[in-house]
Amino acid sequence: MSEHTNRTEEGGRRSLVRRTLLRGAALGAAVPLLPAATGAAGAAAAERSGAAATGVRADSATLRWLGTSGWRIDVGGRGILFDPYITRFETGLFGPKGSFDPATELTCDEETVARHAGRPETVLVSHTHWDHISDVPYIAKSTGARVFGTETTYHVLRSLGVDAAQISVVKGGEVLDFDGYTVEVVSSRHSRNAKWSYFAPGTLNAPPPRAPRTISDLPEGDTLAFQLSVAGGPSMFLMGASDVDERAVAGLRPDVLMAAVPSSRATHRYVPRLLGALGAPATVVPVHWDHFERPLSGPPLRDPVMDLDGFVAEVHRCSPASRVVVPDYTTVFGADLRPTA
């Protein structure tokens, strides 16, 4: 579970040359966009934004937000899933203080998962908390998709009956070619709560004594991020938690950043460090800010712990040239992160 971290001060970008309006945004409403900053980061983002407008085919991919940090990305009829948590069962996490139950049993609503997941060929898993992996065993077994994740992901999936031949262990640094898109695996870090900690730490270096049955049986297992680059389309940096290893992402310059929203200030200067390390991406999409125990059939409800508005405002301050798109569960986006209809 990504217990996101941190809100901070911007890094000195003041000159705003123009204003425009962002289409497709906060829970169906428009969000103001402040492009064209001065300085190197602003110039880099403006250059990429122009390139995205002219060089990225909107039809090169479609993207659907699956809530939490999850995405379904379709490239020429080939499906890619990132952290698909679709069942969204109740644990008490969003209830009154003290109602969270770590002994909540893992549940998979197979019909709902199949409807939203489609027929993926590739599944990318950032870490093994329940709100990132608990639907992955069913998806893998029912579709034959190949799953990429940590060694902990491997042992969890094997214990839940996924064929070893379908699972690829990655650590960070791999660049994988899928003939039409590439995936670069990036070592990352899990979010921190206000006490500089998080739920269910730990890793697995061997199969667990018994298959996981409850959410507390699923340790974090180290955290990865992924940069997905589509031929003729955008490069997308996919995050499952709100922290970043700046050294690990050095040199990456994604067009689109799917950025996990923090829940506390425990991580120092999270937003400016993240945007600076990735070169101020042209488009920033906040994720993992929703109440993920409510079904995808309704509109997104905000996690009351998350300051989504503050996060968006800070992105504008730190990188005024970046376009911010706040997704919902029903919009299908083109590769340019604009609604397809």
Side-chain angles (χ1 to χ4, degrees), residues 223-300:
T223 294
L224 300 170
F226 298 88
Q227 180 153 302
L228 169 66
S229 299
V230 179
S235 56
M236 296 165 271
F237 191 82
L238 301 159
M239 299 180 70
S242 59
D243 203 349
V244 62
D245 180 346
E246 292 166 276
R247 294 168 181 81
V249 304
L252 296 180
R253 293 296 181 264
D255 300 301
V256 181
L257 165 62
M258 280 68 169
V261 176
S263 65
S264 79
R265 300 175 61 91
T267 295
H268 178 62
R269 304 184 72 249
Y270 166 62
V271 173
R273 287 174 52 240
L274 174 64
L275 295 177
L278 293 173
T283 303
V284 178
V285 185
V287 297
H288 218 324
W289 51 264
D290 59 323
H291 184 318
F292 54 79
E293 296 184 359
R294 291 289 181 266
L296 293 173
S297 56

Side-chain angles (χ1 to χ4, degrees), residues 88-320:
R88 299 165 70 91
F89 52 83
E90 292 194 13
T91 67
L93 179 65
F94 296 88
K97 185 176 181 179
S99 59
F100 175 60
D101 183 7
T104 300
E105 292 191 2
L106 297 170
T107 303
C108 179
D109 181 340
E110 296 179 359
E111 181 180 349
T112 300
V113 171
R115 185 167 65 252
H116 287 279
R119 300 289 300 182
E121 66 176 29
T122 303
V123 180
L124 309 174
V125 177
S126 69
H127 63 287
T128 50
H129 282 152
W130 86 93
D131 54 327
H132 299 261
I133 200 174
S134 63
D135 286 329
V136 172
Y138 170 73
I139 291 169
K141 288 186 284 187
S142 63
T143 68
R146 175 164 292 279
V147 183
F148 294 82
T150 63
E151 185 178 355
T152 298
T153 296
Y154 174 87
H155 291 304
V156 164
L157 294 181
R158 288 291 294 124
S159 73
L160 291 169
V162 178
D163 189 336
Q166 289 179 249
I167 312 168
S168 294
V169 174
V170 288
K171 300 176 181 293
E174 299 90 346
V175 183
L176 309 173
D177 192 333
F178 293 86
D179 189 20
Y181 63 91
T182 61
V183 173
E184 184 160 356
V185 187
V186 182
S187 174
S188 193
R189 298 293 180 267
H190 196 276
S191 318
R192 300 279 159 171
N193 60 26
K195 296 182 179 179
W196 304 278
S197 187
Y198 58 87
F199 177 75
T203 59
L204 295 176
N205 303 114
R210 60 179 173 83
R213 295 182 300 183
T214 71
I215 62 173
S216 62
D217 291 334
L218 292 172
E220 175 246 348
D222 294 331
T223 294
L224 300 170
F226 298 88
Q227 180 153 302
L228 169 66
S229 299
V230 179
S235 56
M236 296 165 271
F237 191 82
L238 301 159
M239 299 180 70
S242 59
D243 203 349
V244 62
D245 180 346
E246 292 166 276
R247 294 168 181 81
V249 304
L252 296 180
R253 293 296 181 264
D255 300 301
V256 181
L257 165 62
M258 280 68 169
V261 176
S263 65
S264 79
R265 300 175 61 91
T267 295
H268 178 62
R269 304 184 72 249
Y270 166 62
V271 173
R273 287 174 52 240
L274 174 64
L275 295 177
L278 293 173
T283 303
V284 178
V285 185
V287 297
H288 218 324
W289 51 264
D290 59 323
H291 184 318
F292 54 79
E293 296 184 359
R294 291 289 181 266
L296 293 173
S297 56
L301 300 177
R302 297 189 187 191
D303 179 344
V305 174
M306 304 299 176
D307 183 5
L308 176 60
D309 293 336
F311 177 86
V312 170
E314 188 166 20
V315 172
H316 285 320
R317 289 194 302 270
C318 294
S319 181

Side-chain angles (χ1 to χ4, degrees), residues 66 71-73 79-84 116-117 120 122-125 139:
L66 300 176
W71 288 91
R72 171 179 168 177
I73 302 167
I80 303 139
L81 296 177
F82 173 69
D83 281 5
H116 287 279
T122 303
V123 180
L124 309 174
V125 177
I139 291 169

Side-chain angles (χ1 to χ4, degrees), residues 29-48:
V31 172
L33 168 65
L34 308 177
T38 58
E47 180 182 353
R48 278 197 310 284

